[in-house]
Amino acid sequence: MRTYLRSTPLGIVIVGLFAGGILLSQALGWWSTESRKIARKITTGEFAGKADPADIRGSYSFQDIEKNFGVPVKILAQAFAFEQEKDPGAVRAKDLETKFAGAAETHPQTQPQAQTQPQAQPQPAVQPLEIGTDALRLFVALYVGIPYSPKEGTGIPESAFRVLKENGKLSPEKEKAILPLVVKVGKDTAPSGTIPTGEKAEPSAPISPSVPSAGGQPEKSPTPQSSGGAAATGVTSGSAQPAGSSTGTGGSSTSTTEPLIKGKTTFKEVLAWGVTKAQIEKVLGCPMPAEGTVIKDWCASVGLEFGTIRDALQKLKP
Amino acid sequence: MKKKPFTARLRFGVQIAFLILVALTSLNHSLSSYGIQIPFFGSASLHAICPFGGVVSVYQFVTIGSLVQKVHEASLVLMGIAFFLVILVGPAFCGWVCPLGTVEELIGKIGRRIFKKKYNTFVPPAIDRYLRYLRYGVLVWVVYVTATSMKLVFAEYDPYYALFNFWTGEVPLTAMGILALTLIGSLFIERPFCKYACPYGALLGLFNKVRIFTIRRNPSTCINCKACDRACPMNIEVSTAGPVRDHQCITCMKCTSEAACPVQETVELMAGSFQVKPIENVSAGNIPAGKEAGK
Ligand code: SF4
Ligand code: SF4
């Protein structure tokens, strides 16, 4: 059988197929000209099947990150000083660049070392660090315990460092590795509160070898710098833990699914773990205040360092 | 002045419509960052509405379940539509839809005015024959680097992206250079990028071997005037073919009896085959008025 297809029907077929196909796909919910923001999964190794922080793109909002990685919007807003934002869930990764433009011009290690070392000692070179999408990748990777090598020149704000620490996401070795990347930002961008003195004064640590991105995507490995350089935050795949499991090896090692002492944790919540009042008082070195008191607030009121008390209390967890 | 056949005007209209649609969508995408919007047009990025983005994403989509960066589901939908179309009627996407092909043709009209009959004959056939396979090398390379890097590497070289984004300042120099070469080349050669370098055209071209509706010449009514050969922008020798299975055909319909061929029902886009008629059945009555063989 022979069938001719002349120009007019051919033109109708072409236009009709495109118009009809697009309309049909819209009706079926398949038509999307914007990313649905589903991060690709890691395919091999210990973290296979988990969303890969290396796939976070500039267009990802905090909400998308919560959806993909389980890092709450509130935590992200705290970490990157967007708490005052009306809708922090809508903040995009690429917004960090604008927010922290100019805020990340000094290498933070000049700050702590200046406080702890004699004047005569040579200061590390000042390196401009950038807080942008890669900073968010790094933060998320640390938060969920997946190894990630940040790009050279990536920094994270001290607020992010503090959030990681407060949430027990930094083992001592990770903390050492990340310290050279912590950037002191201006008051206008930093959230309320400051890094405890002890944390600020911690000296720069030797740099761990860079580990490749867990997802297999080639990432530019950071090169050691004279100032201490960039850090491979995964430290080693052995020490990095999957989301929801123990992160780090130090006394403050905790998990996202287990109870954590955070900025707003009360003594009552610690008691609820099964810890006795006597145990808490032993840590505090004085009688425990009212159960509903926020631990951090109490520490501030009596002049104790929250980080120290928190770590000690965290260890009581059965 | 000889009036253009209806098929040419129709195709030109469809091409211009797609060109305007893509150009305004891309412009809207740029304007959206200033809060400005041209009404009735979307503001998708060019990558989101390119079916080739879907092709290079397939490997990652199957193995990892996500699309290559900057490519979105719309690309997969368009890829599906283009594949359906190519199986049915061959690479009509190239001949009727692709805005880069349209721009190449528009510049080619200037070249044709300048060089008259010499236009589109500058590359010696002995070299041209091999150059036509270059685009398969580009296709293999693009698919390979995209699959291994998970990034839209071709955007660095893509003249289509450069054409609709040159005002953004985001287009890599390599892509701008290739666009410039393509536009200048179009003054001498019809559709140079399509012929020698387009990876998507290469992929669609393979379907010329299996398409349902094929360009066919009826040898029993053909008067061997070679008007079809002269009309073909892709330099295909229609006058010696039965069915045109050449990987470069773009279903532009220029060779058909609706356009160049002066004999009715001699070159047709069709499913099935011609009934072979004895040669004496061809009479002057079969040649429509206004068509002169060889012109
Ligand atoms: S063979 Fe005919 S339809 Fe195919 S490209 Fe040439 S002129 Fe166009
Ligand atoms: S234009 Fe028609 S008649 Fe002339 S050679 Fe081609 S097929 Fe034959």
Side-chain angles (χ1 to χ4, degrees), chain A residues 128-200:
Chain A
L129 294 176
E130 194 180 289
I131 300 172
T133 305
D134 202 47
L136 192 57
R137 291 186 193 120
L138 175 59
F139 177 82
V140 171
L142 285 163
Y143 196 92
V144 299
I146 289 175
Y148 176 68
S149 297
K151 289 177 182 162
E152 197 173 331
T154 292
I156 60 165
E158 60 184 7
S159 49
F161 174 78
R162 186 172 51 244
V163 168
L164 288 167
K165 211 162 153 50
E166 284 179 4
N167 286 281
K169 302 296 182 188
L170 294 177
S171 64
E173 53 194 356
K174 278 190 195 174
E175 188 178 326
K176 277 182 187 172
I178 198 71
L179 258 173
L181 306 185
V182 179
V183 174
K184 191 171 167 56
V185 292
K187 274 198 179 106
D188 53 338
T189 47
S192 58
T194 54
I195 292 178
T197 322
E199 288 168 14
K200 267 190 176 179

Side-chain angles (χ1 to χ4, degrees), chain B residues 186-207:
Chain B
S186 299
L187 283 173
F188 305 91
I189 303 162
E190 186 125 32
R191 288 178 170 252
F193 186 74
C194 309
K195 276 176 184 159
Y196 304 123
C198 180
Y200 193 45
L203 180 67
L204 296 181
L206 293 173
F207 288 85

Side-chain angles (χ1 to χ4, degrees), chain B residues 215 231-234 236 238 244 248-255:
Chain B
I215 298 287
C232 180
M234 306 305 277
I236 296 166
V238 183
V244 174
Q248 293 249 328
C249 176
I250 54 170
T251 318
C252 68
M253 307 289 280
K254 280 187 173 180
C255 58

Side-chain angles (χ1 to χ4, degrees), chain B residues 217 222-228 239 261-263 266-267:
Chain B
R217 184 187 64 106
C222 171
I223 56 170
N224 205 24
C225 64
K226 299 193 185 298
C228 50
S239 63
C261 176
V263 189
T266 297
V267 183

Side-chain angles (χ1 to χ4, degrees), chain B residues 139-155:
Chain B
L139 173 65
V140 170
W141 171 75
V142 171
V143 171
Y144 175 76
V145 291
T146 312
T148 50
S149 71
M150 298 182 181
K151 290 199 171 112
L152 203 55
V153 178
F154 192 57

Side-chain angles (χ1 to χ4, degrees), chain A residues 300-314:
Chain A
S301 68
V302 298
L304 283 176
E305 194 185 318
F306 171 61
T308 313
I309 298 294
R310 180 201 57 204
D311 290 352
L313 289 174
Q314 198 77 60

Side-chain angles (χ1 to χ4, degrees), chain B residues 13-226:
Chain B
V14 173
Q15 283 180 298
I16 293 295
F18 277 105
L19 174 67
I20 291 171
L21 184 70
V22 170
L24 290 184
T25 302
S26 189
L27 185 63
N28 246 358
H29 183 69
S30 304
L31 291 176
S32 64
S33 53
Y34 300 98
I36 306 167
Q37 189 83 20
I38 304 165
F40 312 118
F41 289 93
S43 60
S45 82
L46 200 68
H47 299 305
I49 52 167
C50 175
F52 190 55
V55 174
V56 294
S57 270
V58 166
Y59 176 80
Q60 187 173 319
F61 192 69
V62 170
T63 54
I64 298 175
S66 68
L67 297 168
V68 168
Q69 285 188 10
K70 297 179 180 167
V71 173
H72 309 303
E73 279 81 352
S75 295
L76 287 181
V77 170
L78 292 174
M79 179 190 78
I81 295 170
F83 274 141
F84 185 80
L85 190 65
V86 78
I87 289 167
L88 193 68
V89 295
F93 175 85
C94 303
W96 292 68
V97 179
C98 177
L100 181 62
T102 304
V103 171
E104 286 178 90
E105 278 189 26
L106 287 173
I107 294 182
K109 284 179 196 296
I110 303 170
R112 197 176 288 280
R113 287 203 172 191
I114 300 169
F115 299 111
K116 307 268 177 337
K117 285 185 177 169
K118 285 217 85 181
Y119 179 71
N120 203 24
T121 61
F122 291 107
V123 185
I127 301 169
D128 180 71
R129 188 180 313 151
Y130 297 106
L131 276 182
R132 300 284 179 123
Y133 290 97
L134 195 67
R135 60 184 192 159
Y136 290 98
V138 178
L139 173 65
V140 170
W141 171 75
V142 171
V143 171
Y144 175 76
V145 291
T146 312
T148 50
S149 71
M150 298 182 181
K151 290 199 171 112
L152 203 55
V153 178
F154 192 57
E156 300 273 319
Y157 308 92
D158 190 356
Y160 171 62
Y161 176 71
L163 179 64
F164 293 105
N165 283 279
F166 65 85
W167 58 82
T168 60
E170 288 172 11
V171 179
L173 267 181
T174 41
M176 288 299 276
I178 293 171
L179 174 65
L181 272 179
T182 301
L183 299 183
I184 294 167
S186 299
L187 283 173
F188 305 91
I189 303 162
E190 186 125 32
R191 288 178 170 252
F193 186 74
C194 309
K195 276 176 184 159
Y196 304 123
C198 180
Y200 193 45
L203 180 67
L204 296 181
L206 293 173
F207 288 85
N208 275 315
K209 309 286 180 197
V210 294
R211 55 195 271 187
I212 297 167
F213 283 87
T214 309
I215 298 287
R216 276 180 190 272
R217 184 187 64 106
N218 187 351
S220 65
T221 54
C222 171
I223 56 170
N224 205 24
C225 64
K226 299 193 185 298

